[in-house]
Amino acid sequence: MRRTDTQGHGPVRYGPPFPDDALPVLPELAAALAAAATRPDARPTGGDPALLDAAGGYWARRGLPAEPDQMVAAPGAPALLHALTAAIGGDVLVPRPCASWWAPQVRALGGSVFHVGTPADCGGVPDPYALLETVRRVRAEGGDPRLLVLSVADDPTATVAPPELLHETVEAAAGEGLHLVSDETWRDTLHRPQETVLLSPAEMLPERVTVVTDLRGALLPPGWPAALARFPANTFGDALRARVLDVLTALGARIAEPVAVAAGYALGEPGPVTQRLTAAVRLHARVATSAHAVVVAAGCLALPPRSGRHLYVDLGPLRTAFGAHGVGDAQELEEYLTARLGMPAPGGHRFGDDLAALRVRLATGALLGDTPEERAQSLMSPEPLELPHVQRALTLMGSIFDDLRDDAQ
């Protein structure tokens, strides 16, 4: 079976930026961080009791209660996935496409990554039948699949997997003896939370699922790395947590004291934090919906965004127009659109998609304004889509894609 090795286009260190909210730092968060800036002591590897207690409350409110000895904190989800991969060993299965930082953690350890196709109506969770076939083929060729990484609220597709699909995939993975890592970084960014059912695999199969969440997805600014892992409450989970702590200790992967204090404050979800999160999600949802309408009107293909601050666009219908501009693969598409749009437009190859496919992830943060003042105005406005700087950004995007559509026709 073909392993999805790098294609030689765009090294990892030039990979796509995290799709942050592009908004000014919440003053209360800044105050919490500043209050701890003079503390000289380092937090212990895995997080101190105060941070883990706050994390336990955060997860309990989401139906995933956890004791402090079930959790680990680290400076970012990539460090946690790196440690989990090292601790579990074997080959790793991921959906196609998937978050850009998943595969590099495995490859950095010399492991093999196998991408599994997803259903047509969502990303983040492999099709159960494709998963079973991939496991069979990998084992037939001498591989050792042990870990499946998935995401119910997905980067890059911005979709939310339906519970029925998730249940079938989780059952298939369990039947094959796989451990699951559920990346739930974007679970708190649902665009229509009253209309969207989001279930964690840990609710379905608690004994075989480790949950990982990067707090930069909803609660912290992008430059303040902090993430949490929640392990199964059984003997296997205890041993896995111990091995993960060993790896994090060897890496020196500890959260900086000021960031840990700010993270603990955010995890408590006081009024200022929840109000900001609600306003930011509402803003990005409206902008994402408008951006989706723009690209679909130009003839592109994109699933409606349901979570996060991004959308994933297939520009294959415009291939002839791009060919006239010398664009024939995802890396060339990335370079072309980044220059034309004036914003990052990472190609699908960054997310495990085929290099030949003309797909990109577009982040909505770049459409909120060029200055902190404009972005703050976008957040505070009851009608952000009517602001001149937001209109300009969407109009520019629309004109570029409309020109390409006309060229293709």
Side-chain angles (χ1 to χ4, degrees):
M1 177 162 209
R2 182 176 64 88
R3 288 174 170 80
T4 54
D5 293 328
T6 54
Q7 302 283 344
H9 281 74
V12 171
R13 62 183 178 275
Y14 299 133
F18 190 84
D20 65 272
D21 64 8
L23 299 172
V25 175
L26 182 67
E28 288 81 0
L29 271 181
L33 183 136
T38 59
R39 299 182 188 178
D41 298 329
R43 290 290 173 110
T45 301
D48 68 291
L51 178 58
L52 296 181
D53 182 66
Y58 167 86
W59 266 318
R61 290 188 292 274
R62 286 151 180 81
L64 297 172
E67 297 298 324
D69 61 0
Q70 260 182 277
M71 298 178 286
V72 162
L80 286 173
L81 184 57
H82 185 95
L84 281 162
T85 303
I88 293 174
D91 299 324
V92 179
L93 300 123
V94 298
R96 182 194 300 276
C98 68
S100 62
W101 54 271
W102 290 1
Q105 304 308 317
V106 181
R107 293 186 178 119
L109 294 166
S112 295
V113 182
F114 296 92
H115 285 267
V116 185
T118 56
D121 57 348
C122 73
V125 175
D127 176 88
Y129 299 103
L131 175 65
L132 292 173
E133 175 63 15
T134 302
V135 170
R136 184 193 67 78
R137 293 175 64 186
V138 171
R139 287 178 176 156
E141 295 182 5
D144 183 21
R146 300 185 192 178
L147 179 63
L148 169 64
V149 186
L150 49 74
S151 179
V152 181
D154 185 43
D155 172 20
T157 64
T159 58
V160 178
E164 299 80 10
L165 167 67
L166 182 64
H167 193 275
E168 292 177 2
T169 300
V170 167
E171 282 193 335
E176 295 298 328
L178 303 177
H179 189 72
L180 285 80
V181 169
S182 176
D183 177 9
E184 301 186 7
T185 295
W186 301 102
R187 69 167 297 152
D188 294 327
T189 65
L190 300 184
H191 294 179
R192 297 176 180 84
Q194 282 74 34
E195 303 173 15
T196 306
V197 177
L198 185 149
L199 290 179
S200 169
E203 297 178 71
M204 300 177 176
L205 195 69
E207 68 275 11
R208 300 192 70 91
V209 178
T210 297
V211 179
V212 170
T213 184
D214 196 311
L215 301 186
R216 298 176 302 166
L219 298 178
L220 292 181
W224 301 8
L228 304 166
R230 175 191 179 276
F231 295 86
N234 53 26
T235 302
F236 176 82
D238 293 342
L240 179 59
R241 178 178 181 271
R243 293 197 296 273
V244 165
L245 283 172
D246 287 341
V247 176
L248 294 175
T249 300
L251 296 173
R254 296 183 296 186
I255 303 177
E257 172 77 10
V259 174
V261 171
Y265 171 78
L267 287 166
E269 299 183 283
V273 170
T274 56
Q275 291 165 16
R276 164 58 75 85
L277 177 58
T278 299
V281 170
R282 184 187 305 117
L283 169 63
H284 283 279
R286 296 182 69 176
V287 175
T289 298
S290 295
H292 177 263
V294 165
V295 298
V296 170
C300 305
L301 304 176
L303 292 171
R306 304 297 187 194
S307 65
R309 304 183 283 259
H310 49 277
L311 64 157
Y312 197 59
V313 186
D314 185 345
L315 295 100
L318 307 183
R319 182 175 290 275
T320 55
F322 282 111
H325 295 282
V327 173
D329 62 26
Q331 178 63 39
E332 294 167 348
L333 178 65
E334 173 183 307
E335 295 166 357
Y336 177 82
L337 283 182
T338 297
R340 291 293 306 276
L341 294 172
M343 58 182 279
H349 63 301
R350 307 284 190 182
F351 310 101
D353 247 333
D354 287 335
L355 181 65
L358 297 182
R359 301 188 182 115
V360 295
R361 187 192 69 188
L362 302 176
T364 52
L367 304 173
L368 303 183
D370 296 327
T371 67
E373 292 76 19
E374 288 181 344
R375 294 169 180 172
Q377 188 181 9
S378 298
L379 178 67
M380 300 301 296
S381 174
E383 298 295 339
L385 299 180
E386 297 180 4
L387 295 173
H389 54 271
V390 176
Q391 285 187 339
R392 282 196 302 270
L394 289 170
T395 299
L396 173 63
M397 177 182 289
S399 65
I400 291 172
F401 283 112
D402 286 346
D403 289 346
L404 290 166
R405 176 199 59 201
D406 294 342
D407 291 344
Q409 292 174 346

